[in-house]
Amino acid sequence: MSKLIDGLNEKQKEAVLQTEGPVLILAGAGSGKTRALTFRVAYLIKEKGIHPKNVLAVTFTNKAAGEMLLRVKELLELPAEATIFSSKVPHVGTFHSICVRILRREIERLGFESKFVIYDDQDQLALMKRVMRETGVSQEQIKPKAILGAISNAKNKLIDAKLFEEQQGSYFEETVAKCFLRYAKELKQASALDFDDIILFTVKLMQENPDILKKYQTMFRYIMVDEYQDTNHAQYTLLKMLAKVHNNLCVVGDDWQSIYGWRGADVQNILDFEKDYPDAKIVLLEQNYRSTQNILDAAHQVISKNVNRKEKNMWTENDNGNLLTLFEAKNEKSEANFVTEEILKLKKELKHKFDDFAVLYRTNAQSRAMEEAFMKAGIPYKIIGGMKFYQRKEVKDVLAYLFFVHNTKNKIGFSRIINTPGRGIGDKTVEKIISLGEKMEGDLLLAIEKIAKATDSREFGIPPSKAKELQKFYELMGESLVASHSKTVAELIEKIYRDSGYEKMLAKEGEEGQVRHENVQELLTVARKFDKHENGLEAFLEEVTLVSQTDNDLGITEVVPFMTLHSAKGLEYESVFIVGMEEGLLPHSRATMNESEMEEERRLCYVGITRAKQKAHLVYTMTRNIYGSTQISVKSRFIDEIEPELFEQRYDEEVADDDFFRSEAVIDQGINDYFGVKQGFIKRPTSFAYKPKKKKQEKKRSDFSDGESVKHSEFGTGMIVSQDKKTFSVVFPTAGLKKLAKGVAPFEKV
């Protein structure tokens, strides 16, 4: 056997040595899958004598591709400066980089120049805005990003503009089709491609030109793909075409970590691999090198509840390790304080560095309470894959409105809000207003009033159409100024957010708009702390200014990373805190009525737990001030899917004997929150009643689980909140809380 693979375990060796025919390497978290794939590339070239240019290795990120290429060159004993253009270096890259290389050589067959340019997000947005103007599509009714999102989804399914036009049905799809056709035409005229075109055009090129397809089928004799569970339909089709002749397709992945369905990834690609390739060899990489056995067991107990999955039995030579910590906090402030205190304690006890810890959450809006607690505790942190809360555009925009209400001489705040949302007020008009304001002791609101009420605004160099918009702005800010003396800060924010048109603007931005809306609602949570303050607005602005100006990153490399669970994939830390383990957050409320989305939420939880090497903390609250309101919480169903023996249960001291949370009033409020509350333009089913702590006991098998929706013959649709040996406790929107006998109750799963 080759000395090259001496350092691999037996299953990794099997993956490397199985070089011929289709191969599926099912690799669990921390099992060394990328290592096995890298050695397989080197083995084919060094030991089997395959020409490097007959080997193709594909992954998803430039970073992963760069690391793989560097390691391959080391194994092949090639100089570090050797490039992919060298005959001794195999084809290693992302899907997009490989396809760009192909298109540079062949795209003239599609009527494009080989020197085509690739438009980035900003280029695409600018083009779409122009397309919408020229086709008469209102950007107020439909946002350019929404149309670009629909086009992107179509292209990832190999649907071009003409095919989309043929399949469109709804008014929105009809509008997208009109813009799609014009957008595609404009791109071609500019000899430009957008990011999604790269794979779409490569597939189209090969479908329409058999000679080109044959050329690359001959070239790529051995194809290897990392993170196969993340492939979309276009990527799947491309791989199937290229591998058809030699049939040497080796894919590596973990269906348990398929968490990108929202951006087009299809977990069925890996689940159906054996259907696509009946003679496929299956290799299981089940030995974990990262985590303790307790962490692996907990993660497995969660993922095992998914029906749509491949079975693996993850194990490790590491010891059982610490129990997982399950912490019940009173609220999000208590949650954040627990995390900071625990990090400081473990850092001292275990000699860890700050970057040995990670805080993971489902949505970016959850970072705000954590950020404030970390700042107060003096713990440096960094938001990964996102901005700090007070740096997010929508937060800064709303705050700018408040700063202007507080001080109408604030030029910076004024310049930010005068055309946000769009009012057709350009830079020249802003300059004229500021210039007039300087003649009125700097008061910009007085300047706007003078222009708006003038018999002829042209005397100020401002056309009547813009004066009309300025009149509306003056009325908005005048009313807000009056309201600032009688309303709470939160009420003032709600008024400005609604009356300015900002809420309506975000409502048109689809998924991104929802995320931004949630951040504005989270700002309300901060504002409510000043409801009873005598100088509420002033005190609020003073606090957010101090908080937002604190920069823990300056000169500091050792920081605690904050990130969403999606961003955490592929990373590892000594100790991990998963916060917000509550129904409505994790799993997200959008998954409640969709089984496939619920399975993806469960995979997301699995990814979070398996980031931990030594210690995993799962944290949930009894109440949460989020999205601008206080909600009663119920712990995530994923916690209940883990055997109690794997947990060290800890409680906030204030929680232990608080009878308030067990009152009927709170239960009723929770039911109202779940079934009836509409927050802005998003309906969010959230948790509804605190479940009293019970003595730990062995979990009982049942056909029904807490948190499941059921339909009763008399009471309609409700949700199971708890159960014991004999009864289910179910809340119904019309009938309230009902106890129903097991085995007798006339209801079924929804």
Side-chain angles (χ1 to χ4, degrees), residues 60 95-97 99-100 103 107 110 112 116-121 124-125 128 144-161 180 183-184 187 192-205 230 232-235 238 262-265:
F60 274 83
F95 276 99
H96 291 89
S97 68
C99 287
V100 167
L103 291 174
I107 199 170
L110 296 177
F112 283 75
F116 63 83
V117 296
I118 301 171
Y119 279 8
D120 63 17
D121 291 345
Q124 293 174 50
L125 186 60
M128 181 53 68
K145 285 187 177 181
I147 294 179
L148 285 170
I151 291 173
S152 176
N153 290 335
K155 289 181 177 182
N156 288 334
K157 296 174 183 175
L158 298 177
I159 299 171
D160 61 14
F180 196 169
Y183 176 76
L187 283 171
L193 277 62
D194 67 18
F195 200 66
D196 298 305
D197 283 329
I198 294 170
I199 297 175
L200 171 67
F201 282 17
T202 305
V203 172
K204 186 177 181 180
L205 180 74
D230 294 333
N232 60 32
H233 179 67
Q235 293 158 341
L238 177 65
W262 53 276
R263 68 181 188 196

Side-chain angles (χ1 to χ4, degrees), residues 270-281:
I270 193 168
L271 294 175
D272 292 341
F273 189 83
E274 293 162 87
K275 292 181 183 177
D276 293 332
Y277 304 93
D279 57 338
K281 173 71 175 178

Side-chain angles (χ1 to χ4, degrees), residues 255-261 267-268 271 302-310 362 586-588 590-607 637-638 641:
D255 58 293
W256 295 3
Q257 297 187 71
S258 180
I259 59 175
Y260 299 122
V267 71
Q268 288 302 134
L271 294 175
V302 172
I303 202 67
S304 65
K305 301 300 186 294
N306 274 2
V307 175
N308 206 25
R309 64 184 172 86
K310 297 279 190 181
R362 180 63 177 84
L586 183 66
H588 198 279
R590 288 195 296 265
T592 305
M593 299 299 178
N594 187 306
E595 189 55 38
S596 66
E597 289 188 21
M598 184 59 71
E599 291 210 345
E600 182 153 319
E601 292 290 306
R602 191 171 277 110
R603 294 194 292 268
L604 201 54
C605 183
Y606 172 85
V607 166
R637 68 190 71 191
F638 303 150
E641 291 170 358

Side-chain angles (χ1 to χ4, degrees), residues 224-375:
M224 281 152 283
V225 187
D226 198 8
E227 306 288 3
Y228 189 66
Q229 77 280 349
D230 294 333
T231 53
N232 60 32
H233 179 67
Q235 293 158 341
Y236 164 84
T237 303
L238 177 65
L239 292 169
K240 197 165 185 180
M241 291 169 66
L242 290 173
K244 191 171 183 179
V245 172
H246 296 290
N247 213 34
N248 295 325
L249 176 63
C250 173
V251 302
V252 185
D254 184 6
D255 58 293
W256 295 3
Q257 297 187 71
S258 180
I259 59 175
Y260 299 122
W262 53 276
R263 68 181 188 196
D266 189 353
V267 71
Q268 288 302 134
N269 291 347
I270 193 168
L271 294 175
D272 292 341
F273 189 83
E274 293 162 87
K275 292 181 183 177
D276 293 332
Y277 304 93
D279 57 338
K281 173 71 175 178
I282 313 299
V283 181
L284 296 177
L285 299 186
E286 298 174 303
Q287 183 177 357
N288 177 284
Y289 292 92
R290 175 188 302 155
S291 307
T292 65
Q293 192 62 53
N294 282 338
I295 290 170
L296 292 180
D297 287 347
H300 185 268
Q301 287 170 15
V302 172
I303 202 67
S304 65
K305 301 300 186 294
N306 274 2
V307 175
N308 206 25
R309 64 184 172 86
K310 297 279 190 181
E311 187 54 70
K312 293 187 292 291
N313 182 31
M314 298 301 298
W315 62 277
T316 181
E317 290 182 348
N318 301 332
D319 58 25
N320 287 339
N322 299 306
L323 295 174
L324 284 75
T325 294
L326 180 61
F327 186 79
E328 183 180 65
K330 185 174 183 179
N331 50 38
E332 76 283 353
K333 184 178 179 180
S334 160
E335 175 184 61
N337 288 339
F338 164 73
V339 174
T340 58
E341 291 168 6
E342 193 72 2
I343 286 176
L344 291 172
K345 186 184 80 171
L346 292 176
K347 183 177 183 291
K348 185 177 180 180
E349 291 178 356
L350 304 177
K351 309 299 181 186
H352 285 344
K353 299 180 294 183
F354 281 127
D355 53 10
D356 287 328
F357 302 92
V359 179
L360 311 180
Y361 38 72
R362 180 63 177 84
T363 67
N364 275 310
Q366 293 170 251
S367 76
R368 196 271 313 163
M370 285 291 160
E371 289 183 62
E372 291 189 2
F374 272 64
M375 288 181 211

Side-chain angles (χ1 to χ4, degrees), residues 56-171:
L56 171 64
V58 187
T59 188
F60 274 83
T61 66
N62 290 319
K63 181 183 177 186
E67 290 173 350
M68 184 184 292
L69 183 59
L70 183 64
R71 185 61 177 143
V72 165
K73 288 192 290 187
E74 289 175 353
L75 294 172
L76 296 177
E77 299 177 312
L78 297 174
E81 59 269 21
T83 70
I84 56 172
F85 301 105
S86 167
S87 61
K88 296 181 179 180
V89 179
H91 295 282
V92 178
T94 64
F95 276 99
H96 291 89
S97 68
I98 297 295
C99 287
V100 167
R101 290 178 220 168
I102 294 171
L103 291 174
R104 290 292 182 201
R105 297 175 185 174
E106 319 289 354
I107 199 170
E108 289 178 356
R109 293 278 193 101
L110 296 177
F112 283 75
E113 297 177 8
S114 61
K115 295 181 179 179
F116 63 83
V117 296
I118 301 171
Y119 279 8
D120 63 17
D121 291 345
Q122 292 304 311
D123 296 329
Q124 293 174 50
L125 186 60
L127 175 57
M128 181 53 68
K129 286 180 177 179
R130 179 158 63 83
V131 165
M132 292 176 73
R133 284 196 301 270
E134 293 175 357
T135 54
V137 176
S138 170
Q139 295 181 36
E140 290 298 314
Q141 292 184 344
I142 302 176
K143 291 298 177 182
K145 285 187 177 181
I147 294 179
L148 285 170
I151 291 173
S152 176
N153 290 335
K155 289 181 177 182
N156 288 334
K157 296 174 183 175
L158 298 177
I159 299 171
D160 61 14
K162 290 183 180 178
L163 186 56
F164 191 94
E165 184 186 31
E166 293 171 6
Q167 296 180 351
Q168 54 85 18
S170 67
Y171 169 75

Side-chain angles (χ1 to χ4, degrees), residues 345-500:
K345 186 184 80 171
L346 292 176
K347 183 177 183 291
K348 185 177 180 180
E349 291 178 356
L350 304 177
K351 309 299 181 186
H352 285 344
K353 299 180 294 183
F354 281 127
D355 53 10
D356 287 328
F357 302 92
V359 179
L360 311 180
Y361 38 72
R362 180 63 177 84
T363 67
N364 275 310
Q366 293 170 251
S367 76
R368 196 271 313 163
M370 285 291 160
E371 289 183 62
E372 291 189 2
F374 272 64
M375 288 181 211
K376 288 176 182 176
I379 302 175
Y381 72 94
K382 184 176 182 178
I383 306 287
I384 306 297
M387 294 182 179
K388 291 184 176 181
F389 181 77
Y390 290 106
Q391 293 174 352
R392 295 167 193 169
K393 183 181 183 306
E394 56 279 4
V395 174
K396 293 180 74 170
D397 287 344
V398 173
L399 287 174
Y401 271 102
L402 295 179
F403 275 112
F404 189 68
V405 168
H406 184 58
N407 179 4
T408 55
K409 297 180 180 180
N410 184 345
K411 295 179 185 177
I412 301 298
F414 169 73
S415 299
R416 186 177 187 99
I417 64 175
I418 184 61
N419 207 40
T420 305
R423 299 184 178 92
I425 309 297
D427 292 342
K428 289 184 179 179
T429 302
V430 171
E431 289 173 8
K432 290 172 182 176
I433 295 169
I434 291 175
S435 178
L436 180 60
E438 288 172 352
K439 299 174 183 176
M440 307 179 76
E441 299 182 352
D443 196 314
L444 298 172
L445 194 59
L446 286 177
I448 294 171
E449 181 185 28
K450 194 172 183 69
I451 296 167
K453 293 183 176 180
T455 306
D456 188 352
S457 62
R458 285 172 290 192
E459 67 179 280
F460 301 103
I462 294 172
S465 60
K466 291 190 178 48
K468 189 175 180 181
E469 291 300 318
L470 289 174
Q471 172 69 31
K472 294 177 184 176
F473 181 80
Y474 170 74
E475 290 172 358
L476 168 68
M477 300 316 299
E479 290 171 1
S480 300
L481 189 60
V482 172
S484 68
H485 299 291
S486 58
K487 293 183 180 293
T488 65
V489 180
E491 289 169 340
L492 181 60
I493 292 174
E494 288 176 325
K495 174 180 173 57
I496 291 172
Y497 185 46
R498 179 186 64 249
D499 295 350
S500 67

